Amino acid sequence: MDMSPSTIRPKLTARGVNVFYDDAHALKQVDLDIRAHEVTALIGPSGCGKSTFLRCLNRMNDLIDICRVDGDIRLDGEDIYDPAVDLVYLRARIGMVFQKPNPFPKSIHDNVAYGPKIHGLARSRAEMDEIVASSLERAGLWEEVKDRLDAPATGLSGGQQQRLCIARAIAVRPEVILMDEPCSSLDPIATARIEALMDELKQNFTIVIVTHSMQQAARVSQRTAFFHLGDLVEVGDTDTVFTQPVDPRTESYISGRIG
Amino acid sequence: MAQTVAAVRGGTRPSLMAAPEGRRARQVLGERVLLGLLAASSLVAILTTVGIALSLLFETLRFLDAVPLFDFLFGLNWSPQIAIREDQVGSSGAFGVIPLLVGTGLIAAVAMTVAGPLGLLSAIYLAEYASPRARSFAKPILEILAGIPTVVYGFFAVLVVAPFVRDSSEAVGFEVSSESALAAGVVMGVMIVPIVSSIADDVISAVPQSLREGAYGLGATKSETVRDIVLPAALPGIGGALLLGVSRAIGETMIVVMAAGLSAHLTVNPLQAVTTVTVQMVALLTGDQEFDSPKTLAAFALGLLLFIATLILNLIALMLVRRYRERYD
Ligand SMILES: Nc1ncnc2c1ncn2[C@@H]1O[C@H](COP(=O)(O)OP(=O)(O)OP(=O)(O)O)[C@@H](O)[C@H]1O
Ligand SMILES: [Mg+2]
């Protein structure tokens, strides 16, 4: 199924992944490689398992009692479901941005500083301020907030909050950033800013994004994976998937007939 | 309604005034009667409350004819008994409310020292850590605790806790009266635990899951998430839960009547007997009394004081809890 050239070593590999919510079979035998320094888009109709797959990658599904994950998922060849894996460390390496901006009820500065603080990434106040500033800079928010770092984050606009959440994820210096419909609550201008940001961020990070917008997938991603009813139907270069889909289901989804 | 649907199916749209006259009139009458009944019920409730407040106010004004407001609010001496017999010297009595307020505050403080930590910790456990099974055990038990009549708690205070406090304090050489603020306060605290814990539990559970996921997504552990994100987010509501507990403590009567004592010592030593506003109201009004002596009227003044205090506490508490809910809806 995966058409990646063997010369590129994938950042993340999923093999034979099955996910159950109680008895409901939400993901069926999914094999997918995520390549480093690319944006991989997960698309498909509502309820097809995109979020479920994304949340397998940083073991966020562990939080859901009824959720069971089978199969093999590796980050740089290391099994992330190995019982010896430290979730704290795993999630430091694989960060996440959520559908709805969810800033903590703290100041802008403290939101960004929280991750570095719990992981002990800064040895001094100055170092922490430096991390906060550079993370906000890279999230394209610095100019707007540099004069009010101590203001509550909940006072920012939705688009600013989402960029703050991106800054918060970046601050931990992850290798992979997972984004679940990061623009779905934003207006077109805020969306454009985040899309531009993703393009920049992929130089330093590996990005996986779930999106309902096929235009967005086409604009930001290099690879696209199409899910349908728990199956990974098709994955390939974004251009190819959108112009010459192999599977008829992909074809009808991107031409707007299912979804 | 059925008519409308049928008419639509039939292809012709019915007029909006299509209902037959008689039926419409019946409907309107029915609505009116129901509305009147509902409005009357709420009116009765509201008028009763207003009536009680007003009667408290008027009797208090009569009381203040006999005792100056300043002496009442700031007097350090409470001994209304003197006023019983008119022929006695000092028949005017002493109605300084400070000792009662200090006693009430002392017992409430002891109670909240027990109920605050216990209530909050159990709320955190229930909301964040308990498995659904443990929760389904613990919740009803706490609710049963909340349903025990306070006279039973009072019993418990007098027969078990007070002797225990006395014996153990005497064993280490403290002078203790058989009725102590400590015994009454501790038992009252146990009574208040379910109030604090159930409101705090609601408030903590209302912190959106997305905030927790945000913290977990950054690699925070469970305890870091609870301590750094969930509790700070729930803080205003938790403050509200504690204030409601305090309000309940200062209004509680039965436990203190049985376990706190009658003598109005001005002390902050929890091993001594103190008396509270509610205990004095009971003492002033039990037995045969003329209803126009300063002694009985004082009960109304105390009642008004208590009413105002708990009203303010409740308003602040509800505001905190509600404001907090709005923020996350
Ligand atoms: N916490 C849960 N408990 C039970 N079932 C769940 C849970 N989360 C997801 N599911 C089920 O798993 C399936 C896949 O859901 P998922 O959220 O992954 O879909 P999705 O592709 O992200 O959809 P959307 O585009 O609407 O976000 C759905 O059938 C859903 O009902
Ligand atoms: Mg989803």
Side-chain angles (χ1 to χ4, degrees):
Chain A
M1 173 105 30
D2 188 24
M3 291 167 259
S4 58
S6 53
T7 46
I8 303 178
R9 185 161 178 241
K11 185 76 186 169
L12 278 161
T13 57
R15 290 289 173 270
V17 173
N18 284 285
V19 178
F20 302 86
Y21 292 104
D22 271 338
D23 294 332
H25 201 168
L27 274 185
K28 298 162 193 163
Q29 210 58 30
V30 170
D31 296 330
L32 181 62
D33 285 355
I34 310 282
R35 294 189 199 153
H37 301 296
E38 281 191 352
V39 177
T40 302
L42 312 182
I43 61 169
S46 192
C48 66
K50 306 178 296 289
S51 300
T52 301
F53 181 74
L54 198 72
R55 292 165 58 93
C56 287
L57 299 180
N58 65 346
R59 291 186 56 178
M60 217 54 170
N61 285 332
D62 290 20
L63 296 176
I64 300 172
D65 288 331
I66 57 168
C67 184
R68 202 178 85 237
V69 179
D70 279 348
D72 182 274
I73 300 179
R74 290 174 186 271
L75 172 66
D76 287 333
E78 270 182 277
D79 180 3
I80 67 167
Y81 278 87
D82 190 297
V85 162
D86 185 348
L87 281 184
V88 171
Y89 191 52
L90 172 72
R91 290 179 186 153
R93 291 178 64 187
I94 306 184
M96 190 162 205
V97 175
F98 298 81
Q99 176 166 355
K100 225 178 115 222
N102 57 351
F104 301 137
K106 298 176 185 289
S107 70
I108 293 171
H109 176 281
D110 290 353
N111 261 273
V112 183
Y114 186 63
K117 193 180 113 203
I118 56 180
H119 293 292
L121 296 184
R123 267 160 302 169
S124 65
R125 204 175 150 106
E127 221 174 310
M128 181 62 90
D129 290 346
E130 168 55 31
I131 294 178
V132 170
S134 67
S135 307
L136 286 168
E137 190 102 48
R138 288 164 88 175
L141 191 60
W142 175 247
E143 285 305 318
E144 289 154 70
V145 301
K146 65 175 188 229
D147 298 324
R148 46 168 175 157
L149 290 177
D150 291 325
T154 40
L156 296 172
S157 75
Q160 289 174 326
Q161 288 188 4
Q162 195 61 307
R163 275 179 281 148
L164 179 69
C165 292
I166 293 176
R168 186 173 76 184
I170 294 173
V172 185
R173 299 195 199 122
E175 297 155 38
V176 182
I177 303 177
L178 310 176
M179 300 186 176
D180 194 344
E181 300 182 44
C183 304
S184 65
S185 60
L186 306 184
D187 65 49
I189 294 171
T191 302
R193 294 207 59 155
I194 297 208
E195 288 180 2
L197 186 60
M198 273 187 262
D199 222 40
E200 244 174 79
L201 291 175
K202 74 171 192 286
Q203 289 159 21
N204 297 297
F205 307 97
T206 301
I207 297 179
V208 187
I209 175 179
V210 170
T211 175
H212 269 135
S213 153
M214 277 168 286
Q215 291 86 337
Q216 181 168 67
R219 282 192 300 262
V220 300
S221 72
Q222 284 70 56
R223 309 252 303 157
T224 296
F226 171 67
F227 287 77
H228 187 244
L229 297 177
D231 290 309
L232 172 60
V233 173
E234 182 163 354
V235 55
D237 288 341
T238 298
D239 289 340
T240 321
V241 171
F242 278 99
T243 53
Q244 298 152 340
V246 178
D247 195 285
R249 286 170 289 178
T250 319
E251 220 265 296
S252 40
Y253 181 70
I254 58 179
S255 61
R257 264 174 282 147
I258 44 175
Chain B
M1 212 41 199
Q3 268 184 341
T4 317
V5 173
V8 168
R9 285 212 187 109
T12 51
R13 275 173 184 280
S15 152
L16 286 176
M17 289 92 187
E21 264 317 300
R23 181 162 161 232
R24 174 130 184 245
R26 269 203 316 279
Q27 267 179 354
V28 170
L29 186 68
E31 295 279 324
R32 289 241 170 97
V33 169
L34 190 63
L35 188 72
L37 206 66
L38 296 176
S41 308
S42 26
L43 205 64
V44 168
I46 291 171
L47 286 183
T48 317
T49 315
V50 171
I52 291 175
L54 284 181
S55 88
L56 275 181
L57 187 65
F58 289 137
E59 300 298 329
T60 302
L61 289 178
R62 280 176 67 196
F63 169 72
L64 291 178
D65 283 344
V67 179
L69 180 63
F70 186 89
D71 291 358
F72 175 60
L73 287 183
F74 300 104
L76 298 181
N77 202 349
W78 178 267
S79 46
Q81 287 78 3
I82 301 169
I84 294 174
R85 294 202 345 250
E86 308 238 342
D87 53 319
Q88 276 185 327
V89 205
S91 63
S92 59
F95 292 98
V97 82
I98 293 290
L100 307 191
L101 295 186
V102 170
T104 305
L106 180 62
I107 291 186
V110 173
M112 291 314 289
T113 312
V114 174
L118 274 184
L120 287 188
L121 291 177
S122 65
I124 292 171
Y125 170 73
L126 284 175
E128 295 291 326
Y129 290 93
S131 66
R133 263 198 56 184
R135 210 181 143 84
S136 69
F137 274 132
K139 266 270 188 189
I141 290 177
L142 277 173
E143 267 148 30
I144 289 172
L145 212 57
I148 297 175
T150 56
V151 65
V152 176
Y153 282 105
F155 232 74
F156 183 65
V158 175
L159 296 182
V160 181
V161 181
F164 175 79
V165 167
R166 191 185 50 226
D167 296 347
S168 49
S169 308
E170 267 166 7
V172 288
F174 282 118
E175 186 74 22
V176 189
S177 53
S178 65
E179 291 163 324
S180 67
L182 189 62
V186 166
V187 172
M188 192 190 283
V190 173
M191 181 201 78
I192 292 172
V193 165
I195 296 168
V196 173
S197 92
S198 100
I199 297 172
D201 176 19
D202 289 348
V203 161
I204 293 172
S205 302
V207 173
Q209 185 63 14
S210 68
L211 284 185
R212 295 187 185 83
E213 294 203 327
Y216 289 130
L218 288 172
T221 60
K222 175 125 201 171
S223 59
E224 283 167 343
T225 303
V226 171
R227 189 190 63 211
D228 300 337
I229 307 300
V230 178
L231 290 185
L235 207 57
I238 289 176
L242 291 176
L243 280 188
L244 284 181
V246 172
S247 157
R248 187 68 210 273
I250 64 175
E252 169 53 31
T253 309
M254 212 55 219
I255 295 176
V256 279
V257 164
M258 295 173 78
L262 275 170
S263 46
H265 289 131
L266 184 52
T267 176
V268 289
N269 176 0
L271 296 177
Q272 288 233 305
V274 294
T275 190
T276 70
V277 175
T278 51
V279 169
Q280 287 307 313
M281 288 172 67
V282 171
L284 290 172
L285 291 180
T286 36
D288 296 329
Q289 309 291 348
E290 294 167 65
F291 259 81
D292 50 3
S293 71
K295 187 186 164 211
T296 43
L297 290 176
F300 289 96
L302 291 180
L304 187 66
L305 203 61
L306 197 61
F307 179 68
I308 292 172
T310 50
L311 188 70
I312 291 175
L313 278 176
N314 287 356
L315 284 180
I316 297 176
L318 288 179
M319 199 187 69
L320 284 174
V321 172
R322 188 173 318 137
R323 160 120 38 97
Y324 163 84
R325 289 234 172 92
E326 273 164 16
R327 198 144 60 89
Y328 288 115
D329 277 346

